[in-house]
Amino acid sequence: MDTDKNGGYSNSRCPLCVRYVSVVNFLFAMKTVLTTSPDEAAAIIKRGGVVAFPTETVYGLGANIFDEKAVAKIFEAKRRPADNPLIAHISDISKIRTLATEVTENAEKFIQSFFPGPLTIVLAKSDAVPYIATAGLDTIGVRMPRFKLARRFIAACGVPVVAPSANLSGRPSPTTWQAVAEDLDGRIDCILQGDPTEIGLESTVVDCTGGTPLLLRQGAISLTQLQEVVPATKSYVPNSGEQPKSPGLRHKHYSPTAKVVILDDKCEISNLEVRSAYIGVNERGEQFQITRICRSAKEYASAVFEFFRECDRRGIKTIYCETVDETGIGSALMDRLRRAVES
Ligand code: TXA
Ligand code: MG
């Protein structure tokens, strides 16, 4: 065993010192608190911290909307571009009044039909909402999650909680607390551990500031469902040269490191490489390293982001994803798959 000139162990080789250094590193690296208590997580929000929490769509990374320093920590932890606005999460409908100057008639109809649930409505923001949360916009997205643990946590915070998805920007949204830890452990104050999310894709976003509601992002609530409540609702398509109304749509999204290929069921795969994976609702003849057959488009949507992450963990090079019908959740799923291909 190595000793120094004083007969002691040299720092680099002494097993006790090595162990001490690793324990210190471990403690520093593990500064993210893991808890199942919404009250403990809310106490961290009240102290100006950032906390990841489960919702029925994906895990969010929350901060007190009125605390600009805390909101800035979200952008830093996620490495999120500052021009991408955040959604405010509320635990009861009356809180919308603190966030928006006016709840339009159409917004009121959507709230009655879909809150709590996977729908974000965009309204004109009140002066109390800091511009850092809305990335400089005069509007704010508001959502009331259906997941009970999320609402218990937000209620305990005592303020609306702004939260983007709790992933590093560009990565697939997290649907388990372990996926949050994979991206953000050591970068955020706390993870409120809950069940895996049910829906697995982010909320539908609808702009209710004008006379005609505009669907900005597809989610579990489809355009058809919105039109059943407000028939005039349209899908938003930016005019050529116009900046998209939903700034998030400008950014890289939902992408695993592996290449994503969308397959329609009749399409043959030429030159299938060894490290390939497949997800879809129908079996295929080829041999893949990982295969996930889902019972429905709904199950496919809830599994796809975690499947992308699992493929990255296992060094998969190409992920083949089956096309689904663009109805209901299928439209949102195809939207996310196309974005994963583009990035
Ligand atoms: O399901 C969800 O929406 C999840 C959970 C955590 O609630 N959140 C989420 O947040 O997906 P994020 O930041 O990853 O996506 C928010 C999307 C972005 O595309 C953003 O540009 C858009 O909503 N958005 C937010 N505020 C907006 C606003 N005021 N006007 C237009 N688009 C807005
Ligand atoms: Mg996101």
Side-chain angles (χ1 to χ4, degrees):
M1 205 173 285
D2 282 353
T3 56
D4 68 16
K5 62 178 183 296
N6 299 320
Y9 293 115
S10 74
N11 253 2
S12 57
R13 305 296 284 274
C14 158
L16 282 177
C17 293
V18 169
R19 181 165 296 175
Y20 174 76
V21 169
S22 348
V23 168
V24 169
N25 283 342
F26 178 78
L27 288 177
F28 272 104
M30 289 298 287
K31 63 180 187 284
T32 299
V33 172
L34 298 179
T35 181
T36 55
S37 158
D39 293 325
E40 186 182 355
I44 293 172
I45 292 283
K46 288 178 182 165
R47 292 201 296 270
V50 290
V51 174
F53 63 99
T55 82
E56 73 278 20
T57 58
V58 298
Y59 272 70
L61 178 61
N64 172 356
I65 190 168
F66 303 123
D67 180 341
E68 296 188 40
K69 275 195 192 148
V71 178
K73 287 184 197 166
I74 292 181
F75 286 89
E76 198 182 308
K78 275 190 61 117
R79 302 197 187 106
R80 181 175 176 101
D83 65 350
N84 197 358
L86 307 178
I87 294 172
H89 296 70
I90 53 174
S91 58
D92 76 90
I93 291 171
S94 65
K95 290 286 186 324
I96 297 185
R97 306 271 161 202
T98 62
L99 300 172
T101 54
E102 187 199 0
V103 179
T104 56
E105 209 181 309
N106 291 331
E108 194 64 59
K109 289 182 185 160
F110 289 137
I111 290 167
Q112 291 305 324
S113 304
F114 302 115
F115 275 32
L119 181 71
T120 298
I121 53 172
V122 173
L123 296 167
K125 83 167 193 70
S126 71
D127 289 342
V129 174
Y131 277 110
I132 186 171
T134 66
L137 298 177
D138 289 318
T139 55
I140 177 84
V142 184
R143 169 163 125 73
M144 180 170 165
R146 186 170 68 206
F147 213 52
K148 282 210 179 82
L149 183 59
R151 290 217 302 281
R152 290 233 308 277
F153 160 67
I154 298 162
C157 292
V159 285
V161 171
V162 269
S165 50
N167 50 286
L168 282 174
S169 269
R171 298 266 296 142
S173 294
T175 56
T176 63
W177 68 261
Q178 291 90 341
V180 176
E182 186 173 68
D183 278 13
L184 298 177
D185 188 24
R187 301 180 65 82
I188 60 175
D189 298 297
C190 174
I191 300 175
L192 174 59
Q193 299 163 291
D195 291 335
T197 62
E198 294 158 20
I199 296 170
L201 302 180
E202 307 81 352
S203 62
T204 303
V205 179
V206 61
D207 182 345
C208 295
T209 54
T212 304
L214 297 174
L215 173 65
L216 302 183
R217 180 175 71 181
Q218 318 222 37
I221 294 172
S222 65
L223 179 60
T224 314
Q225 282 173 288
L226 295 175
Q227 286 168 336
E228 280 164 12
V229 177
V230 180
T233 309
K234 287 198 306 201
S235 241
Y236 169 71
V237 186
N239 296 321
S240 64
E242 187 194 348
Q243 289 286 17
K245 264 184 184 288
S246 195
L249 304 183
R250 288 200 290 267
H251 299 289
K252 185 173 178 276
H253 263 94
Y254 321 117
S255 54
T257 306
K259 181 177 161 204
V260 174
V261 176
I262 301 176
L263 283 179
D264 78 55
D265 46 0
K266 288 171 203 77
C267 166
E268 294 283 313
I269 302 175
S270 50
N271 304 327
L272 180 71
E273 68 159 296
V274 184
R275 279 179 293 171
S276 300
Y278 169 74
I279 182 166
V281 288
N282 291 298
E283 307 259 359
R284 288 190 59 103
E286 299 89 348
Q287 277 295 316
F288 299 95
Q289 195 174 320
I290 317 178
T291 300
R292 172 75 196 258
I293 307 297
C294 307
R295 278 165 300 186
S296 60
K298 191 173 168 200
E299 185 181 310
Y300 185 175
S302 81
V304 70
F305 285 151
E306 182 53 28
F307 188 77
F308 282 175
R309 284 177 177 268
E310 181 59 16
C311 288
D312 279 350
R313 284 177 210 125
R314 291 173 60 181
I316 293 293
K317 294 281 178 215
T318 308
I319 307 173
Y320 293 96
C321 302
E322 187 182 17
T323 302
V324 294
D325 284 345
E326 300 208 31
T327 52
I329 191 81
S331 305
L333 174 57
M334 288 309 296
D335 168 75
R336 303 310 190 271
L337 294 181
R338 288 194 191 102
R339 288 178 201 284
V341 170
E342 278 164 20
S343 26

